[in-house]
């Protein structure tokens, strides 16, 4: 219930973003932006870094909008 379908949460203290792109499917990524190392700040329909505007896909951490040069690294998750 803490992770909305089609969204996610940033766990800053764990440097992790957890998303639920579709109901019952959870993904986890590092929360460090690949552009200049800022912590991503929010999750809407994308994972968003407010430092320079990079956005990443909820399902696989791929870059949706730069200047980020590469996707967010995946993390193992246990529910």
């Amino acid at each position: 219930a803490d992770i909305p379908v089609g969204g996610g949460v940033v766990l800053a203290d764990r440097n992790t973003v957890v998303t639920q792109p579709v109901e019952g499917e959870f993904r986890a990524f590092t929360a460090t932006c690949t552009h200049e190392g800022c912590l991503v700040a929010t999750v809407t329909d994308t994972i968003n870094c407010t430092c320079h505007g990079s956005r990443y896909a909820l399902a696989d951490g791929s870059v949706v909008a730069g200047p980020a040069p590469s996707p967010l690294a995946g993390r193992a998750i246990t529910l």
Side-chain angles (χ1 to χ4, degrees):
D2 293 338
I3 303 166
V5 176
V9 296
V10 177
L11 305 172
D13 61 326
R14 295 181 182 190
N15 190 34
T16 300
V17 179
V18 180
T19 65
Q20 187 177 188
V22 296
E23 189 169 352
E25 184 179 294
F26 296 89
R27 302 279 189 248
F29 309 96
T30 179
T32 302
C33 180
T34 61
H35 176 238
E36 288 193 3
C38 292
L39 189 68
V40 297
T42 62
V43 182
T44 54
D45 60 334
T46 56
I47 301 165
N48 310 299
C49 180
T50 56
C51 287
H52 301 104
S54 294
R55 294 184 301 140
Y56 301 89
L58 299 177
D60 61 6
S62 62
V63 177
V64 173
S70 55
L72 296 174
R75 293 242 165 123
I77 187 170
T78 303
L79 300 177

